Amino acid sequence: NAGVTQTPKFQVLKTGQSMTLQCAQDMNHEYMSWYRQDPGMGLRLIHYSVGAGITDQGEVPNGYNVSRSTTEDFPLRLLSAAPSQTSVYFCASRQGRYNEQFFGPGTRLTVL
Amino acid sequence: GQQVMQIPQYQHVQEGEDFTTYCNSSTTLSNIQWYKQRPGGHPVFLIQLVKSGEVKKQKRLTFQFGEAKKNSSLHITATQTTDVGTYFCAGPLSGGYQKVTFGTGTKLQVIP
């Protein structure tokens, strides 16, 4: 099993550009989440999904869109990148409500 | 809104000294998880506590869940350089187990 994979590992964008961060898992997990990590602020939940076709907002959803067309994939879209979105983005998955989360290796995004 | 705070934010210890990080929630948690993130890496699950007053041990690591289920602690006995990293607690946001919120983290540095 590859676990949770994320692409790309690094990305530099200009303000106003859009892009999609990819996340995939091969563990057949129901739950998937996107977090962003900024210094001194821990991990903040952006969006999450409890199954294919079902998504909801987390703590900091503004500026991001998600969709979940399959169990395996959970892409995160930045609609119009802003410098405030410079961060490390982690995707995570888990089997059920109370289970441990498995994290991907992260995407380091810089917006100029 | 619900907050999960951790103290201290940073801790430097001499190798062999003990280390403790504390996690405090503004609301009662149904369960709490602990994760470790090595420098440059992604969070990795350590343990989950569910019961009020629960204590669990993993070799030199001792985890406690408070009686009121609003606080938790992680204690490391005789730290080693391999313990270096950031330790996060995490718990479900009130109103739904789907959303998991992370504490602000404690960054541990071990001086050899």
Side-chain angles (χ1 to χ4, degrees), chain A residues 66-106:
Chain A
V66 292
S67 60
R68 184 102 178 265
S69 56
T70 66
T71 300
E72 294 79 18
D73 300 299
F74 191 42
L76 178 72
R77 295 183 193 83
L78 279 69
L79 308 173
S80 178
S84 60
Q85 294 179 304
T86 293
S87 187
V88 181
Y89 291 84
F90 288 102
C91 178
S93 75
R94 69 186 193 273
Q95 179 55 43
R97 289 181 177 182
Y98 309 109
N99 294 69
E100 65 184 278
Q101 293 201 82
F102 293 85
F103 283 81

Side-chain angles (χ1 to χ4, degrees), chain A:
Chain A
N1 284 354
V4 180
T5 57
Q6 291 184 240
T7 55
K9 288 188 177 180
F10 303 93
Q11 183 71 49
V12 179
L13 292 177
K14 293 181 180 179
T15 297
Q17 287 184 316
S18 62
M19 81 158 295
T20 300
L21 307 185
Q22 301 292 344
C23 174
Q25 53 95 5
D26 62 358
M27 297 173 282
N28 202 33
H29 285 173
E30 297 177 276
Y31 290 71
M32 296 187 75
S33 301
W34 275 103
Y35 292 88
R36 61 176 289 174
Q37 184 173 32
D38 303 293
M41 301 192 73
L43 292 138
R44 292 182 292 169
L45 181 65
I46 305 172
H47 285 287
Y48 68 97
S49 169
V50 300
I54 306 169
T55 64
D56 204 349
Q57 296 180 349
E59 302 165 90
V60 289
N62 293 340
Y64 307 95
N65 273 359
V66 292
S67 60
R68 184 102 178 265
S69 56
T70 66
T71 300
E72 294 79 18
D73 300 299
F74 191 42
L76 178 72
R77 295 183 193 83
L78 279 69
L79 308 173
S80 178
S84 60
Q85 294 179 304
T86 293
S87 187
V88 181
Y89 291 84
F90 288 102
C91 178
S93 75
R94 69 186 193 273
Q95 179 55 43
R97 289 181 177 182
Y98 309 109
N99 294 69
E100 65 184 278
Q101 293 201 82
F102 293 85
F103 283 81
T107 294
R108 187 173 295 274
L109 175 68
T110 301
V111 182
L112 303 175

Side-chain angles (χ1 to χ4, degrees), chain A residues 31 35 37 40 42-43 45 48 50 57 59 90 94 97-101 103-105, chain B residues 9 30-31 33 35 37 41-43 45 48 88 93 97-104:
Chain A
Y31 290 71
Y35 292 88
Q37 184 173 32
L43 292 138
L45 181 65
Y48 68 97
V50 300
Q57 296 180 349
E59 302 165 90
F90 288 102
R94 69 186 193 273
R97 289 181 177 182
Y98 309 109
N99 294 69
E100 65 184 278
Q101 293 201 82
F103 283 81
Chain B
Q9 190 173 3
S30 59
N31 62 75
Q33 297 176 339
Y35 292 79
Q37 183 178 25
H42 59 275
F45 175 80
Q48 175 168 272
F88 292 98
L93 281 172
Y97 297 107
Q98 293 89 339
K99 300 182 184 182
V100 176
T101 188
F102 279 71
T104 45

Side-chain angles (χ1 to χ4, degrees), chain B residues 1-7 21-34 49-54 64-74 89-92 94 101 103:
Chain B
Q2 178 179 354
Q3 289 186 326
V4 179
M5 303 298 294
Q6 279 184 255
I7 54 171
T21 173
Y22 300 91
C23 177
N24 297 293
S25 171
S26 56
T27 59
T28 302
L29 298 170
S30 59
N31 62 75
I32 195 158
Q33 297 176 339
W34 284 91
L49 305 170
V50 178
K51 299 177 183 177
S52 168
E54 188 170 13
Q64 288 190 306
F65 202 6
E67 294 290 341
K69 301 183 77 173
K70 294 179 72 173
N71 55 73
S72 181
S73 65
L74 159 59
C89 61
S94 58
T101 188

Side-chain angles (χ1 to χ4, degrees), chain B residues 52-85:
Chain B
S52 168
E54 188 170 13
V55 178
K56 285 189 177 180
K57 292 189 176 183
Q58 287 181 349
K59 297 183 180 178
R60 295 179 294 103
L61 277 61
T62 301
F63 304 84
Q64 288 190 306
F65 202 6
E67 294 290 341
K69 301 183 77 173
K70 294 179 72 173
N71 55 73
S72 181
S73 65
L74 159 59
H75 179 82
I76 302 178
T77 304
T79 54
Q80 300 174 359
T81 54
T82 53
D83 296 323
V84 165

